[in-house]
Amino acid sequence: MTMTATAEHPARDARAGTPPLQIEAVQFVRPASKFERVPCYYCQATESVPFLTAQDDLTGKPGTFTFITCAGCGLRYQNPRLGIEHVKPFYDQEYIAHRKKANWGPLTGFFNWVMDRHDRQKEKLVLRYVALHPESEVLDVGCAVGTFLQRVRTRYGARVAGVDFKDLRGCPSLEGVEFHCGLFYEQPLERERFDAITMWHFLEHDYDPVRTLQTAKDLLKPSGHLVIEVPRLDSLTFRLYGNRWPGLQAPQHTVLYDREMLLRMVRKAGLEVVDYLPYGAFPAFFYFFAGAAFKLLKGKGLNLSKAIYPYFVGQMLFAPILAFEKHLNFAMQTVVCRREN
Ligand SMILES: [Zn+2]
């Protein structure tokens, strides 16, 4: 399985002067492509200029993936993209957010601390905008195995719901979570139900982000808040690593947001921006570490069980710099919104 832009566009391989009829014949006999071209998610324009090509640096699966800059609005997004059915294999057992259990040998405690810390940071962020108590309704879009929701449920007694396009029912961490499997905007969820909707590293995977944001707006109570964290394209780690930047995460990431485009996107969906943060709950150190590893590995894939030792050491060495994570635009961004009044 080689997924290249060339395979997607046989016509571009045709030599100059080849009669058009022959090009059409070549296209006709090729099997249906896994790729599809899409107009801009923000402005619907179809004209673009190349931005960069990326590989699946995390798992090392074959293929090159193309990101473009929209000529209409400047949005950077993957085009052509994998059809939604064909991207599913990339969310497999190796996909870290879907790991149900991990055994990392002597560093299991460290791994669990990192994962727990991630959920604690999410909780802290949400609490700045939303009071959590037994009457609260919280929805996490792209909830994966649901550890964040489980934390909110057990600590505050909140009613929690989650959506993920991968069927993760049966995970112990989803016990007590109202789990919906499928595309977010197709779920039969009640309007004006939620006090908080969270999207932790979801929107950059989305196949229709404006529709997603409009759906979230409809599901929020008039006083409710939507918290969105995504990788930040105009960040230090992107400048360091370029086409090996972990925030590209090809082919799963469909859209790359800089600050301006993230804010424009939420406003387009009719949301009002309450706050913008140049960091998130996700550890920026992961991007420093993984970017350096991706540079060295050149698309061979990162063996997480081998990487955990250097990750552990690096985290210790980087601690003084990471203390400034909230002030130095390393890798992440968070926007907090509410319905426009
Ligand atoms: Zn555009």
Side-chain angles (χ1 to χ4, degrees):
M1 177 168 70
T2 307
M3 285 168 278
T4 65
T6 313
E8 165 65 14
H9 300 293
R12 286 195 186 164
D13 288 342
R15 287 178 192 146
T18 308
L21 196 64
Q22 215 172 324
I23 294 169
E24 280 180 20
V26 170
Q27 284 181 322
F28 181 74
V29 296
R30 275 182 183 263
S33 175
K34 293 184 161 98
F35 285 91
E36 57 193 14
R37 283 210 158 262
V38 276
C40 174
Y41 298 105
Y42 179 82
C43 77
Q44 303 300 311
T46 50
E47 296 78 30
S48 62
V49 293
F51 180 50
L52 55 79
T53 57
Q55 291 178 290
D56 179 4
D57 285 304
L58 195 58
T59 69
K61 289 189 182 71
T64 53
F65 306 95
T66 307
F67 290 89
I68 52 104
T69 304
C70 172
C73 70
L75 184 73
R76 268 71 180 254
Y77 66 101
Q78 203 180 148
N79 205 11
R81 70 180 182 190
L82 277 174
I84 202 153
E85 284 307 311
H86 301 293
V87 83
K88 282 186 177 171
F90 287 88
Y91 292 87
D92 58 13
Q93 295 310 320
E94 291 176 73
Y95 192 66
I96 195 158
H98 294 160
R99 283 174 188 241
K100 293 166 191 154
K101 211 172 176 182
N103 184 0
W104 301 100
L107 285 180
T108 302
F110 171 68
F111 179 83
N112 290 337
W113 179 81
V114 169
M115 299 305 271
D116 284 350
R117 181 174 182 271
H118 189 195
D119 286 334
R120 284 199 304 278
Q121 299 291 53
K122 291 177 182 177
E123 176 193 353
K124 269 166 82 174
L125 270 176
V126 170
L127 282 173
R128 283 163 64 170
Y129 308 97
V130 184
L132 295 174
H133 48 73
E135 302 304 311
S136 310
E137 294 263 12
V138 179
L139 172 69
D140 189 24
V141 183
C143 67
V145 294
T147 55
F148 165 66
L149 289 173
Q150 196 59 254
R151 184 177 182 86
V152 168
R153 185 178 85 93
T154 51
R155 288 175 70 88
Y156 303 95
R159 291 196 287 265
V160 292
V163 183
D164 206 285
F165 96 139
K166 185 160 176 162
D167 192 353
L168 295 158
R169 274 172 294 192
C171 285
S173 48
L174 281 168
E175 199 189 327
V177 176
E178 178 191 311
F179 181 77
H180 297 263
C181 178
L183 294 172
F184 169 53
Y185 38 73
E186 291 176 355
Q187 301 309 312
L189 290 158
E190 192 189 328
R191 292 168 71 97
E192 301 196 7
R193 169 178 163 188
F194 294 100
D195 300 281
I197 300 179
T198 53
M199 296 178 184
W200 310 109
H201 289 255
F202 171 80
L203 203 64
E204 73 273 31
H205 296 250
D206 202 327
Y207 273 50
D208 197 344
V210 174
R211 187 173 171 197
T212 287
L213 293 166
Q214 286 167 338
T215 305
K217 185 189 70 175
D218 292 343
L219 300 182
L220 279 177
K221 284 180 185 165
S223 61
H225 286 77
L226 168 64
V227 180
I228 302 164
E229 180 185 338
V230 293
R232 181 168 172 178
L233 185 62
D234 51 332
S235 66
L236 176 64
T237 48
F238 177 71
R239 288 200 296 278
L240 273 176
Y241 299 128
N243 68 350
R244 299 284 178 197
W245 183 52
L248 300 176
Q249 204 181 115
Q252 295 100 327
H253 286 187
T254 49
V255 185
L256 310 173
Y257 295 97
D258 58 19
R259 179 185 195 272
E260 186 194 341
M261 279 312 305
L262 179 63
L263 296 176
R264 285 169 76 186
M265 195 73 95
V266 298
R267 286 176 179 136
K268 187 179 174 78
L271 289 154
E272 182 187 324
V273 175
V274 175
D275 206 355
Y276 175 88
L277 311 170
Y279 60 90
F282 192 90
F285 177 68
F286 182 83
Y287 272 30
F288 280 108
F289 177 84
F294 294 170
K295 279 269 189 193
L296 290 168
L297 294 164
K298 295 184 169 48
K300 288 197 204 73
L302 181 66
N303 183 333
L304 286 167
S305 52
K306 280 188 187 158
I308 194 163
Y309 287 94
Y311 188 87
F312 178 70
V313 174
Q315 173 106 43
M316 310 277 272
L317 295 173
F318 258 67
I321 299 167
L322 293 170
F324 299 98
E325 183 169 344
K326 290 183 178 168
H327 309 282
L328 294 172
N329 184 21
F330 285 150
M332 306 299 156
Q333 56 184 339
T334 306
V335 64
V336 182
C337 321
R338 63 183 168 212
R339 302 168 69 131
E340 265 175 0
N341 294 312

